[in-house]
């Protein structure tokens, strides 16, 4: 396997329960909040995609260093945090939300019908 390839491990029980809890939480949200919650989740996924290189580098370092990850992978962790601070900031969210306001309204309308 090359460094650009990654395998997705199967979901653990805790991850499965978290997903169920997340869907349950979404069902309790109002239409507007639900649509905004979905948009926020898409925004965070997009931010993670933009920081994928830094995240992968940190993950690789963590695999190599094991328990010493906290000490030996600080520069990778800092790079992830800096990247996420840029792409997942409150200001970036407000820009993203304003650019996708029409999409947000369409989701609210579809949810009500």
């Amino acid at each position: 396997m090359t460094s650009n390839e990654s395998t997705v491990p199967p979901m653990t029980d805790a991850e499965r329960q978290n997903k169920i809890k997340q869907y349950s939480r979404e069902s309790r949200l109002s239409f507007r909040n639900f649509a905004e919650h979905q948009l926020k989740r898409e925004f965070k996924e997009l931010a993670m995609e933009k920081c994928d290189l830094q995240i992968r580098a940190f993950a690789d370092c963590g695999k190599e260093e094991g328990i010493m990850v906290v000490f030996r992978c600080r520069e990778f962790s800092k790079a992830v945090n800096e990247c996420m601070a840029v792409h997942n900031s409150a200001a970036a969210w407000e820009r993203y939300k304003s650019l996708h306001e029409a999409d947000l309204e369409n989701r609210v309308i579809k949810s009500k019908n």
Side-chain angles (χ1 to χ4, degrees):
M1 183 171 13
T2 65
S3 63
N4 292 339
E5 296 176 358
S6 68
T7 59
V8 178
M11 268 200 276
T12 64
D13 288 336
E15 290 171 328
R16 208 171 287 112
Q17 285 179 331
N18 189 26
K19 224 173 199 10
I20 291 169
K21 186 176 180 181
Q22 179 181 4
Y23 290 128
S24 175
R25 184 180 311 120
E26 288 173 353
S27 68
R28 293 188 305 260
L29 296 172
S30 71
F31 294 120
R32 172 73 183 187
N33 288 342
F34 178 70
E36 192 166 321
H37 178 74
Q38 284 182 319
L39 194 65
K40 180 82 171 183
R41 191 170 19 161
E42 291 170 9
F43 168 72
K44 286 186 179 215
E45 288 173 3
L46 185 62
M48 288 181 70
E49 286 175 14
K50 289 179 179 179
C51 297
D52 187 57
L53 187 63
Q54 292 86 346
I55 292 170
R56 283 180 192 258
F58 178 68
D60 291 342
C61 181
K63 286 177 190 175
E64 291 174 13
E65 299 301 334
I67 198 164
M68 298 302 288
V69 66
V70 176
F71 304 106
R72 295 187 179 159
C73 301
R74 283 184 180 156
E75 66 276 1
F76 296 108
S77 176
K78 186 176 179 181
V80 169
N81 290 337
E82 288 172 355
C83 183
M84 291 301 284
V86 170
H87 297 293
N88 194 30
S89 67
W93 162 241
E94 290 302 323
R95 279 192 308 272
Y96 184 83
K97 191 166 78 167
S98 68
L99 289 172
H100 293 87
E101 190 66 36
D103 184 38
L104 184 62
E105 292 304 319
N106 287 338
R107 289 179 188 203
V108 172
I109 292 168
K110 287 179 183 177
S111 295
K112 288 181 179 179
N113 292 336

